[in-house]
Amino acid sequence: MQAFVRRMLGPALAISALSFTATAASAITGQAKPQLSIEAERSPQGARITFKGKNWPAAARVKLTATRAPASTKPQDFGMVDADSSGVFTVRKVAICTTQNQEDGSLETVTFTAADSATGVKATASTRGGAWVCQ
């Protein structure tokens, strides 16, 4: 019975050790993966979008784009933003409304991408298209 327990615990201990090693390596490098979050709301001017990024390299130039808005025919380009010295950015952009149809806005999803212009490292976030419905 004791040999059986050792055979069963051996792989579990190895997996635990591997997990600990990966966590320790991540803690040593201190480099967290860049992140992007999006808040989108309707406004009389169009879709008001707040981009929030963290864990980017200090002073990184980040290009902001998105898939096409509901009822639109082309992707969206929101230009460049600079991360601060701690790798954080927050910027608000306004995109024109693209549809009168509430259903388009509730059914379609818009995916945003932030890409470091120097390294090409990317982060994505998605939201429903309701913000692009004209008021």
Side-chain angles (χ1 to χ4, degrees):
M1 181 66 167
Q2 198 172 17
F4 175 75
V5 170
R6 262 186 267 160
R7 275 185 282 165
M8 295 305 291
L9 283 178
L13 292 174
I15 290 170
S16 294
L18 181 61
S19 296
F20 176 73
T21 302
T23 302
S26 176
I28 290 170
T29 62
Q31 190 63 29
K33 188 174 179 181
Q35 295 178 8
L36 175 67
S37 64
I38 299 296
E39 295 172 8
E41 60 185 342
R42 283 188 348 187
S43 76
Q45 297 79 30
R48 193 176 341 184
I49 305 149
T50 303
F51 297 82
K52 294 180 181 181
K54 65 180 183 178
N55 301 328
W56 294 88
R61 300 261 313 142
V62 180
K63 181 159 181 62
L64 303 173
T65 58
T67 57
R68 66 178 191 79
S72 179
T73 58
K74 59 184 178 179
Q76 302 168 87
D77 184 348
F78 294 99
M80 302 291 280
V81 63
D82 294 321
D84 66 15
S85 61
S86 62
V88 172
F89 64 83
T90 299
V91 65
R92 178 175 278 172
K93 303 281 184 168
V94 176
I96 62 168
C97 64
T98 57
T99 184
Q100 298 285 335
N101 188 333
Q102 289 287 348
E103 193 171 307
D104 285 346
S106 64
L107 295 177
E108 293 192 39
T109 300
V110 179
T111 301
F112 296 84
T113 301
D116 185 330
S117 62
T119 65
V121 171
K122 296 178 181 179
T124 61
S126 295
T127 188
R128 290 280 181 211
W132 285 263
V133 177
C134 300
Q135 288 189 343

